Amino acid sequence: MVLTFATASISMPHLALLIRRLRSATQLGEDDIAAVRALPLQVKAVEPETPIALEGDRPHACCIIVNGFAYRSKLTESGKRQILSFHIPGDIPDLQSLVLKTMDHDLVTISAATLAFIDHADLSRLIDTHAAVARALWRETMVDAAMFRERILNLGVRSASARMAHLLVELRQRLAEVGLVEIDDKEYRFPITQSALADALGLSTVHVNRVLQEFRSQRVLDIRKNLVKLIDVEKVVAAGEFDPAYLHQIDNSRPG
């Protein structure tokens, strides 16, 4: 069920993480940044498990996650859910809706979140008039595709423990890119349940619990009360066979 939106006034911080992302790998001029900052936004505070867009919807705006987290998912006819990806502050997880008019998956918040919506018409004008911004947004979609390729590899050939380790260290790497966690930190906030982990990793909740208990006993990683602890970062990286190159960050040095 969609919950009531609380609309907030427009302010600069709502675009800060997005601008940081776009500038990280694309040369943007001051006029480009000013144009992004001038985008009209509709800012909404929502509760956990609020649908942002559902399969079959035809959105008229793209959504920036200002704070909080979201996930993309699809359901089988029997109601089984596959979580396709997780999204962090600064992400525009439905940028494809600017071109692909009908949603082919669900986009839902996993936590309480603040969302900023940009009307498709306003975003199209920005892209048409600022080529550097267009390139930066195109790059975002390419990185998104690279992450999906890695996710296919994760689900297709890696072991259950490797899948979990890879996902958790990837999230830390992505949060570090937007300044929400220090890359040397061993813990970060992420509101994940074992049920959601199971749906993301293609495992049963029983199997997820078993893998998590094994990691705990080995003092490698733990998840408690929405806090992910990478107790031994080097072992987590090794267990997940994690190479950050597919994230195409400016500094692709290995974490740990």
Side-chain angles (χ1 to χ4, degrees), residues 46-50 67-70 108-113 191:
V46 300
E47 297 298 319
E49 295 299 324
T50 297
N67 61 52
F69 298 88
V108 182
T109 60
I110 197 172
S111 68

Side-chain angles (χ1 to χ4, degrees), residues 18-203:
L18 174 63
I19 291 171
R20 176 174 178 153
R21 284 274 295 275
L22 297 181
R23 296 181 77 172
S24 67
T26 305
Q27 188 68 37
L28 298 181
E30 290 305 315
D31 60 330
D32 297 317
I33 299 301
V36 174
R37 288 173 175 162
L39 283 169
L41 302 177
Q42 185 181 21
V43 181
K44 299 177 180 179
V46 300
E47 297 298 319
E49 295 299 324
T50 297
I52 300 170
L54 297 177
E55 185 169 359
D57 286 352
R58 296 176 63 85
H60 298 290
C62 291
C63 168
I64 304 169
I65 300 175
V66 178
N67 61 52
F69 298 88
Y71 63 89
R72 285 190 271 202
S73 65
K74 286 185 73 74
L75 294 174
T76 65
E77 290 187 3
S78 62
K80 289 186 176 181
R81 179 180 69 169
Q82 175 68 54
I83 290 180
L84 306 169
S85 57
F86 291 107
H87 294 278
I88 67 171
D91 283 359
I92 311 181
D94 57 352
L95 189 58
Q96 79 284 340
S97 70
L98 189 62
V99 178
L100 305 177
K101 299 303 183 182
T102 303
M103 290 288 292
D104 56 23
H105 60 276
D106 298 335
L107 178 61
V108 182
T109 60
I110 197 172
S111 68
T114 302
L115 310 173
F117 292 87
I118 309 171
D119 190 84
H120 283 170
D122 294 319
L123 192 53
S124 293
R125 277 191 291 271
L126 176 67
I127 290 171
D128 289 342
T129 56
H130 292 269
V133 176
R135 286 193 298 271
L137 291 173
W138 184 26
R139 185 181 188 279
E140 287 295 300
T141 64
M142 296 299 98
V143 173
D144 204 34
M147 290 171 60
F148 269 109
R149 289 191 288 273
E150 191 71 18
R151 192 63 46 80
I152 292 169
L153 180 66
N154 220 29
L155 293 175
V157 300
R158 289 190 176 121
S159 67
S161 57
R163 294 179 200 181
M164 183 181 296
H166 191 280
L167 173 63
L168 296 179
V169 76
E170 178 198 276
L171 283 166
R172 188 189 73 153
Q173 190 82 3
R174 291 168 59 199
L175 288 166
E177 183 184 29
V178 291
L180 295 179
V181 64
E182 294 297 327
I183 196 60
D184 293 332
D185 285 355
K186 294 185 176 182
E187 61 184 45
Y188 59 88
R189 293 282 173 184
F190 186 64
I192 191 71
T193 63
Q194 289 191 19
S195 176
L197 263 180
D199 289 348
L201 300 177
L203 304 171

